[in-house]
Amino acid sequence: MNNPLIRKLQQFTKLSSDERQVLEQVAAEGVRQLGTREDIIREGDKPQALNLILSGWACRYKHLEDGRRQIIAFFLPGDLCDNHVFVLREMDHSVGTLTPVTFAQIPRRRIDEITLEYPRVTQALWWESLVNTAIQREWTVSLGQRDALERMAHLLCELFLRLRSVGLTQENRCELPLTQSELADAMGLSTVHVNRTLQELRAANLIVLKGRTLTIPDLDALQSAGQFNPNYLHLEHEGRHLDANE
C-alpha cells in the first residue's frame, strides 16, 4: 500500500477495496512537486483544491508584519491540509514546504463525490479532522504549560508516532528533516534554547540525532520526559465497528 492517506485512515477503520481504489485514484490526479521552502498556498489566496501530502514535510504557518514566523502545524505524508478549506473565502494562513514535497491537488467536486458515495470514507475523514484538532490542542498546552525539554520531547514523540502510523519509521528510527530554526518557530523558543534542549535530551540518552535521522532508544522514557499521552492521536482503531468485510 503506497498511498499514505489510506494507511492513515485505516488506523481508524478498515476500508473496502473499492474505497482504497478510489483514494488511490484521487491521489494520482493533479500531482505536483515543489522544492524546499516554497508555498503550496499563501495567506490571502482563494482555496480551490484540497492538498494531500504524498511525500516530504510541510507546515502551516503565520507571518507577523515584522517577518517573525509561527509554525502552527507540521504536515507529514498522508496529511490533508485542512479537509474543510473550501468553506473559506480566502486563506488566513499559509502552507509551505520544509523539504521537497510531492502533493496531490484534489478538486472540491472530487471530494464531494467521494464523501457522498462512500460514507465510511466520510467517517474516516471526520476522524482525521478531529485528530488534527486534538493535535492543535496539545500544541497549545505545550506552548502554555510545558517547559522547553517537555515541549521538545513531546513533539518528537508525536512526530515519531505519526510517522509510524503511515509506515515511515524503521524500528526506533525516523527521518527528522527539521532545522533548529523550524523547531524554534514551532515551539516558541529561540534557536539557542532549542540547541541547548536537544543537547540535554542527548546527554540523557533520550534521543540520538545524526544528520536527518532521529533515533529514540527508549520511547517510554521519552514519553515520560515530555509528559506525553498518545491518546489524543486516536490510533487505536476506534472505527473498528465500521470495518469493511473485504
Side-chain angles (χ1 to χ4, degrees), residues 23 94 227 232:
L23 290 175
S94 300
Q227 299 197 45
Y232 71 99

Side-chain angles (χ1 to χ4, degrees), residues 41-47 81-82 85 88-95:
I41 190 166
R42 295 184 179 92
E43 185 171 356
D45 288 351
K46 180 176 175 58
C81 304
D82 298 314
V85 72
L88 299 178
R89 180 177 58 85
E90 65 176 42
M91 294 293 293
D92 55 26
H93 63 274
S94 300
V95 176

Side-chain angles (χ1 to χ4, degrees), residues 86 107-118 122:
F86 303 117
R108 179 174 185 169
R109 62 174 179 78
R110 290 291 280 132
I111 295 297
D112 289 343
E113 291 167 1
I114 291 169
T115 53
L116 285 172
E117 188 171 353
Y118 300 99
T122 304

Side-chain angles (χ1 to χ4, degrees), residues 122-232:
T122 304
Q123 293 264 22
L125 290 174
W126 273 110
W127 166 84
E128 197 264 354
S129 180
L130 290 170
V131 169
N132 287 338
T133 302
I135 290 172
Q136 211 68 64
R137 283 194 294 269
E138 282 297 319
W139 279 41
T140 300
V141 172
S142 284
L143 289 171
Q145 296 298 326
R146 293 186 177 101
D147 63 29
L149 189 140
E150 290 169 339
R151 286 185 211 181
M152 182 69 75
H154 195 280
L155 178 61
L156 295 179
C157 289
E158 176 190 296
L159 293 173
F160 180 81
L161 292 183
R162 288 171 61 190
L163 289 167
R164 189 170 72 179
S165 74
V166 292
L168 293 177
T169 60
Q170 302 81 41
E171 297 179 347
N172 61 345
R173 301 186 306 279
C174 68
E175 182 183 22
L176 187 72
L178 302 175
T179 67
Q180 292 188 10
S181 176
E182 289 159 352
L183 288 168
D185 287 349
M187 297 192 299
L189 302 170
S190 69
T191 53
V192 171
H193 206 166
V194 165
N195 183 278
R196 186 164 60 244
T197 303
L198 290 172
Q199 294 297 338
E200 288 181 49
L201 290 171
R202 284 189 178 107
N205 197 34
L206 291 171
I207 65 168
V208 177
L209 270 177
K210 291 185 178 179
R212 294 160 58 98
T213 300
L214 167 70
T215 301
I216 302 175
D218 185 337
L219 182 57
D220 288 340
L222 188 63
Q223 289 178 336
S224 178
Q227 299 197 45
F228 180 87
N229 185 336
N231 66 346
Y232 71 99

